[in-house]
Amino acid sequence: MDHPRRLLDAATQLKADMVDRLGTLVASESAPGSLPHLESCADLLVRWGEEALGRPAERVVIDGLPHLLWPAASQRVLLLGHFDTVFPVGTIRSRPFTVRKDVATGPGVCDMKGGIVQMFTALRLVEDTSAVGVLLTCDEESGSVTSRPLIEREARRSGAVLVCEAATPDGHVKVARKGGSVYRLTVRGRAAHAGVEPRRGVNATVEVAHQVLTLGALGAADSGGTSVTPTLLSAGTTTNTVPERASLAVDVRAWTRDELERVDHAIRGLVPFLPEATLAVQGGINRYPMSPELARPLLELAQSIARQLGIPDVVGAHAAGASDGNFTAALGVPTLDGLGAVGGGAHAADEYVCVDRMPERTALLAGLVDVLSTMERFGPRPIDDIP
């Protein structure tokens, strides 16, 4: 990187363009599973990606979902992100994209459409993108069920992965993430008239209440920050019927593989409290934790580039939430996360991005890509080494 300040100057000149593009991308709603909207958003990103990389996208459709891939023949670095958001179609009408005093708000602005805009802008600043791959998926918010094999395949053939999820509100990148598991508990009891003969029934709501209390004990404070959180719950059919069926979703997060496996074993060992009730468990470990050891050399490189750019120091943070970077790190591929927009409030009505920091983060990403594209240490893996 001969002239690092050139990158920052160029990114600063593109700030207005980035804000305009962010507004366009936020307005292109991309709710999970809404195929017409995901396809429309993908069409927009295909144009931007081809402009930035100078080569066409591969639209990888899995179970109807359009993931976007720009592979490199000899892939030294993979830029990873997702364009789906958690917000239902129509949210943009009640919360349109707005910029006030260098703060942009709108559904998905931080998680992670700001990062996508910065990603493509950074690639426009890199002279040679022939060793850079880009993968944008559209099912991350629903668990990356269809995209995971694609993510893992592209990571295995890369020397390093840069995840353009949002930074922390302070601008820290993410060097470690909790792993996560998702479960669904299904309880079956026996229906009966709630007023005439309730004792003939086996109440699935009461059974699932016992299970909620049991689950709460698995995330004790002395278990290293492990959380076991009952979330979605449904039970019963009518107000005057003993519920015959209940369903409970459970979210688990932990910093270590051992903790995820401990909770997994405990959940699979749950037994009913009520006589004649039955309990079935579905799901399991979805993402193993992202280890800071794999991120350390990339963090040090980012810190060096930040000093050359004259921007604030880059700090590595531990994040409780998981991302697709968990998948790539679990494969042993050097991974640095949180290289997207500086902001906060993800998944909430007050989600925001600091647009005044978009140029510096874009320049940082461009500098990282530029250096990684030529470093032998992060060279692409030989095809024979790919499992």
Side-chain angles (χ1 to χ4, degrees):
M1 192 168 58
D2 297 331
H3 305 288
R5 292 292 304 188
R6 175 189 64 81
L7 292 176
L8 184 57
D9 291 343
T12 300
Q13 292 174 8
L14 290 170
K15 177 185 173 183
D17 179 71
M18 283 193 280
V19 175
D20 287 344
R21 289 190 179 217
L22 182 55
T24 300
L25 187 55
V26 171
S28 181
E29 293 187 290
S30 46
S34 180
L35 291 181
H37 294 88
L38 292 173
E39 289 282 4
S40 178
C41 189
D43 291 342
L44 173 63
L45 295 173
V46 162
R47 294 196 299 272
W48 289 357
E50 291 179 356
E51 173 192 11
L53 288 158
R55 59 183 188 268
E58 293 181 11
R59 196 177 295 235
V60 184
V61 180
I62 306 173
D63 292 347
L65 297 175
H67 309 297
L68 301 179
L69 174 65
W70 289 263
S74 182
Q75 197 157 281
R76 290 181 173 274
V77 58
L78 174 68
L79 301 187
L80 181 59
H82 66 91
F83 61 93
D84 56 318
T85 74
V86 299
F87 300 100
V89 173
T91 305
I92 192 68
R93 291 194 293 270
S94 59
R95 290 199 291 111
F97 177 78
T98 306
V99 181
R100 294 189 180 92
K101 296 183 179 179
D102 275 330
V103 174
T105 57
V109 68
C110 181
D111 187 14
M112 58 160 283
K113 293 188 172 181
I116 293 174
V117 169
Q118 292 177 188
M119 173 197 293
F120 284 140
T121 305
L123 290 172
R124 290 161 63 189
L125 304 180
V126 176
E127 292 184 8
D128 183 5
T129 61
S130 61
V132 184
V134 173
L135 175 57
L136 295 176
T137 66
C138 66
D139 67 347
E140 193 270 350
E141 297 293 3
S142 53
S144 306
V145 176
T146 70
S147 62
R148 180 175 180 174
L150 181 61
I151 294 166
E152 292 178 336
R153 186 192 77 189
E154 291 304 307
R156 285 189 177 105
R157 55 186 296 268
S158 306
V161 176
L162 304 179
V163 185
C164 294
E165 290 271 12
T168 71
D170 293 326
H172 301 339
V173 297
K174 296 167 183 178
V175 298
R177 285 184 177 273
K178 279 186 173 182
S181 307
V182 179
Y183 300 91
R184 182 170 296 279
L185 276 58
T186 302
V187 172
R188 292 196 178 275
R190 184 170 58 245
H193 195 293
V196 177
E197 44 188 4
R199 290 179 181 81
R200 286 193 59 198
V202 178
N203 195 317
T205 297
V206 173
E207 175 61 39
V208 84
H210 283 290
Q211 299 299 336
V212 166
L213 295 175
T214 302
L215 290 165
L218 296 179
D222 61 355
S223 60
T226 300
S227 62
V228 181
T229 308
T231 54
L232 296 176
L233 172 64
S234 64
T237 54
T238 67
T239 58
N240 60 351
T241 302
V242 173
E244 182 176 32
R245 186 180 183 277
S247 176
L248 174 69
V250 184
D251 179 287
V252 179
R253 306 295 173 109
W255 288 114
T256 68
R257 179 182 293 252
D258 286 348
E259 271 296 286
L260 285 180
E261 292 176 347
R262 175 187 69 81
V263 175
D264 182 76
H265 180 76
I267 289 179
R268 296 188 187 283
L270 292 172
V271 295
F273 281 75
L274 301 181
E276 301 184 76
T278 64
L279 174 64
V281 176
Q282 295 175 300
I285 297 171
N286 176 257
R287 289 173 169 88
Y288 280 107
M290 177 180 163
S291 168
E293 286 73 24
L294 282 168
R296 186 168 293 115
L298 292 173
L299 174 64
E300 292 172 354
L301 183 59
Q303 291 170 331
S304 173
I305 292 169
R307 286 192 292 270
Q308 295 176 62
L309 290 169
I311 64 177
D313 189 28
V314 176
V315 177
H318 288 53
S323 81
D324 286 338
N326 289 65
F327 294 141
T328 65
L331 298 172
V333 181
T335 300
L336 186 61
D337 205 334
L339 287 162
V342 177
H347 298 192
D350 59 352
E351 184 174 2
Y352 71 94
V353 158
C354 300
V355 298
D356 57 325
R357 301 198 64 177
M358 292 182 78
E360 72 181 53
R361 306 300 290 200
T362 300
L364 175 65
L365 181 60
L368 270 170
V369 170
D370 194 32
V371 173
L372 288 170
S373 296
T374 59
M375 285 185 70
E376 289 300 324
R377 179 181 181 184
F378 296 101
R381 297 175 63 182
I383 200 73
D384 291 342
D385 292 347
I386 300 174

